[in-house]
Amino acid sequence: MDIFDGLTELEIQIVQELANKGNRSYADIADKVGLSERQLFRYRQKSHIKKAVRNIAIQELESEIPTMINALKKNIQRGDYRSIELGFKTLGLLVEKSEVKTTIEDARYNEMSEEELDREIAEIDRELKVLQGGAK
């Protein structure tokens, strides 16, 4: 699929300029494509523009993969810990795992009567009103 599929001529020009931004300011790019900085900012926020700029960057970087791998190999051979770790991750031999518990365990509500629950809700509601009033 072509990176520019579905983009207007102006959007293509914007994507190309953003992808080759270098040290230029957004004001310079806006002038180059004939927009105000504010208009350019709005274009930059569009997901299809961001995606196209990212795809160009990835496409350009792909040609550097052999150079990057060679640099990584040299660092690994020198015993650089971070390079060794990255090498293992790249090969899929090292996977970071983390576990996130998303439930709140509070058994005290299970043992409350309807009246106690109503009082608890009323108390929470009162505290929220105080906090909202205090935030003004």
Side-chain angles (χ1 to χ4, degrees):
M1 183 174 143
D2 185 17
I3 291 173
F4 302 115
D5 277 351
L7 272 62
T8 66
E9 285 185 39
L10 175 60
E11 288 175 331
I12 291 171
Q13 188 180 3
I14 291 168
V15 166
Q16 289 172 330
E17 292 298 325
L18 290 172
N20 297 303
K21 181 179 181 289
N23 293 328
R24 296 182 299 161
S25 69
Y26 288 120
D28 292 338
I29 293 173
D31 286 342
K32 175 90 178 188
V33 297
L35 297 173
S36 70
E37 281 186 77
R38 187 164 189 81
Q39 289 171 313
L40 179 63
F41 176 80
R42 287 187 184 125
Y43 274 101
R44 288 178 29 228
Q45 300 311 304
K46 295 181 179 186
S47 61
H48 65 283
I49 299 292
K50 288 180 182 181
K51 183 178 180 182
V53 172
R54 183 174 45 252
N55 286 341
I56 288 175
I58 290 169
Q59 194 174 57
E60 289 175 357
L61 193 57
E62 282 179 339
S63 65
E64 297 299 323
I65 289 175
T67 304
M68 293 165 38
I69 295 296
N70 283 334
L72 180 61
K73 284 185 346 187
K74 286 179 185 176
N75 287 340
I76 288 170
Q77 290 166 350
R78 282 196 304 246
D80 179 66
Y81 172 77
R82 289 185 180 201
S83 297
I84 293 169
E85 181 181 28
L86 180 58
F88 278 123
K89 286 180 180 178
T90 302
L91 295 171
L93 299 174
L94 178 64
V95 180
E96 293 181 19
K97 293 183 180 180
S98 63
E99 187 175 320
V100 178
K101 195 169 189 177
T102 59
T103 59
I104 299 173
E105 294 180 18
D106 194 342
R108 68 185 170 129
Y109 294 115
N110 294 339
E111 299 168 5
M112 287 182 158
S113 68
E114 286 286 323
E115 291 172 356
E116 290 171 321
L117 285 171
D118 288 340
R119 281 195 298 270
E120 182 75 14
I121 291 170
E123 177 64 20
I124 292 170
D125 190 45
R126 186 190 65 74
E127 289 176 13
L128 281 172
K129 287 178 183 174
V130 168
L131 287 173
Q132 290 171 346
K136 290 180 183 177

